[in-house]
Amino acid sequence: MKQIKNWSALHFLASLGAGGMSVTFFMYLLFWVPHPGKPIPVFNDWLSYIQTASLGKQGMILLGLIGILVFGWFHFRWLILNFVQYRIFKSNGGVKEIIGTNAHTQLMAMPLTYAMSINICFIIAAIFIPGLWGGIEWLFPVSIMLFLIIGIWASRIYLDFFSHVLQHGSFDHTANNSLSQLLPSFAFAMIGVGLAAPAAMSHNDVVIGTSYLLSIFFTTGALFLGMIKLVIGMNDIFKQGVSRASLPTLWVVIPISTTAGIAIMRLSHGLHTLELGHGASNYILLAIIFSIQIVFFLMGWAVMNRMNYFHALLNHQEDTPVTFALICPGVAFVVMGHFVLNKVITVSGIISKFGYVYIGFSFLLIALQFITGWLLLRLAREQLKRS
């Protein structure tokens, strides 16, 4: 197969759009077909309903079913096409050329589209496979694992872009007079809404709690990064005027807010199922704060690691007083980690207190505590002894 002229990773948005269209047809069934005891309609629900519904409703249900299949087919057809095109693009050195440039974030269109693929698979399976819902609890852990893999992939792409830009200063503000840099936020929001589904649908506390924490992390990251990129993008737009070629990006906030909104609704349902009572507000607050801390930690780590800061620090090549600023984040992360472990993870039933997993998490926090203490003593010995 030959390379499509002017192909870029943004062509994955064709597949994404087809997947979104499939979801719009699913809305007919979701809100018009009764599905008592289940959060979404399944095969038996629409099959029994269409037999007694009016002619108009029957036509709309059939239209919804056809629309799901037709646009689902387009989604996967274009997904495979773009996957092949990406392989050609990468083999021709196209990826290396955009690393560290504004176009680097276009690669986030891939995890964004693959996250949509999982949603489409779930919808098609639930609607067209009889009896699937009977074993749905077994599928939720698989769904969480797949979305987590995509989330890690997306995080690596974005952190590579972020660290490269901060190291080399290669971001071009003169070419940022659009909202195209919000694409990573859209990808993380799509991952977040996918991870939130088990929280809204499962009856297993461990699945709900795991789904909730992972979803709130990616959703919080999406909104947090989105606000930053929105401010930067609007600032460049007001300075230079909007780029005509990127005018469609002015509407990217709409799908981001939709996916984030659905994720929040799903998480609200999951929180109700956990029955945390008065502790629910603390659960939400601590989970959001810890998520923001992890986002900052990962971004800082990516930049420091790319610039070999830790290697220089361990080899006594960084001896300025600013190095003491590493201590407070370490202390704060340990303290918040204990609160999250005991007031969020344990309370929600994900793990049992003083069990093996609990002890394992505790040892990680203790290890960070000792590393922070060791670093403090070392820096103090090296820098304060001079006075």
Side-chain angles (χ1 to χ4, degrees):
M1 181 180 293
K2 294 182 179 180
Q3 181 80 64
I4 295 176
K5 184 179 180 180
N6 297 325
W7 186 91
S8 77
L10 292 180
H11 282 85
F12 273 95
L13 298 182
S15 176
L16 176 73
M21 285 300 300
S22 186
V23 174
T24 63
F25 283 99
F26 175 67
M27 294 297 101
Y28 297 175
L29 282 72
L30 179 62
F31 293 111
W32 295 355
V33 173
H35 43 94
K38 295 183 291 294
I40 63 171
V42 296
F43 178 82
N44 291 335
D45 292 319
W46 69 260
L47 185 62
S48 60
Y49 178 73
I50 202 171
Q51 295 174 8
T52 58
S54 64
L55 185 62
K57 291 181 179 179
Q58 287 179 340
M60 292 305 296
I61 299 304
L62 288 175
L63 177 61
L65 295 172
I66 294 171
I68 291 172
L69 289 176
V70 169
F71 282 99
W73 180 78
F74 278 122
H75 168 76
F76 289 107
R77 178 188 177 187
W78 294 338
L79 179 68
I80 296 172
L81 171 65
N82 279 289
F83 174 76
V84 174
Q85 289 295 313
Y86 170 73
R87 299 287 294 181
I88 299 173
F89 180 73
K90 185 178 181 180
S91 64
N92 291 337
V95 173
K96 292 182 179 180
E97 292 180 2
I98 65 173
I99 294 297
T101 69
N102 294 31
H104 192 158
T105 54
Q106 293 179 2
L107 297 178
M108 294 292 289
M110 294 189 294
L112 168 61
T113 306
Y114 280 100
M116 174 62 82
S117 297
I118 299 178
N119 291 324
I120 299 304
C121 286
F122 183 82
I123 289 174
I124 293 176
I127 293 299
F128 295 102
I129 300 180
L132 179 70
W133 197 258
I136 195 65
E137 288 291 350
W138 294 97
L139 296 179
F140 286 142
V142 177
S143 171
I144 292 174
M145 181 184 67
L146 291 176
F147 275 112
L148 181 57
I149 291 172
I150 294 176
I152 294 173
W153 176 29
S155 299
R156 291 187 63 180
I157 293 174
Y158 185 76
L159 290 174
D160 186 40
F161 159 77
F162 183 81
S163 60
H164 198 288
V165 164
L166 263 65
Q167 180 184 14
H168 301 287
S170 55
F171 188 78
D172 185 4
H173 282 277
T174 62
N176 188 46
N177 50 339
S178 68
L179 297 183
S180 59
Q181 291 300 315
L182 282 172
L183 184 61
S185 181
F186 189 12
F188 289 129
M190 184 66 72
I191 294 166
V193 74
L195 283 167
M201 301 180 188
S202 178
H203 296 284
N204 184 291
D205 287 350
V206 175
V207 171
I208 295 174
T210 304
S211 167
Y212 194 101
L213 290 180
L214 291 174
S215 176
I216 205 170
F217 169 72
F218 283 103
T219 304
T220 299
L223 295 176
F224 185 72
L225 291 175
M227 287 188 294
I228 296 174
K229 294 298 185 69
L230 181 61
V231 172
I232 295 174
M234 291 304 295
N235 179 63
D236 292 334
I237 287 174
F238 278 119
K239 285 183 177 179
Q240 306 166 48
V242 68
S243 166
R244 181 178 180 84
S246 301
L247 279 174
T249 65
L250 295 179
W251 283 348
V252 72
V253 173
I254 298 174
I256 293 175
S257 57
T258 295
T259 50
I262 295 173
I264 292 171
M265 289 181 61
R266 288 176 172 179
L267 293 176
S268 177
H269 188 279
L271 200 64
H272 175 72
T273 305
L274 288 175
E275 298 181 351
L276 297 178
H278 296 297
S281 58
N282 291 333
Y283 185 101
I284 297 172
L285 177 63
L286 292 176
I288 291 176
I289 291 175
F290 201 54
S291 295
I292 294 175
Q293 290 179 341
I294 294 175
V295 169
F296 263 101
F297 170 79
L298 291 174
M299 292 192 300
W301 176 276
V303 177
M304 294 179 189
N305 187 55
R306 177 179 286 274
M307 300 181 69
N308 295 318
Y309 184 82
F310 299 113
H311 181 269
L313 182 68
L314 294 175
N315 286 276
H316 310 279
Q317 297 171 7
E318 298 286 342
D319 60 352
T320 65
V322 179
T323 55
F324 282 106
L326 294 170
I327 306 303
C328 288
V331 171
F333 204 82
V334 170
V335 173
M336 182 57 69
H338 279 293
F339 270 94
V340 170
L341 177 61
N342 290 278
K343 294 295 185 179
V344 175
I345 300 178
T346 303
V347 169
S348 64
I350 299 177
I351 63 174
S352 58
K353 194 167 186 177
F354 302 122
Y356 291 112
V357 179
Y358 179 92
I359 297 299
F361 275 112
S362 296
F363 270 116
L364 289 177
L365 295 173
I366 293 171
L368 179 57
Q369 174 191 7
F370 276 84
I371 291 173
T372 303
W374 166 81
L375 181 60
L376 171 62
L377 295 175
R378 171 177 164 171
L379 294 175
R381 184 177 66 252
E382 293 178 350
Q383 298 191 34
L384 298 183
K385 69 180 180 180
R386 303 166 187 167
S387 60

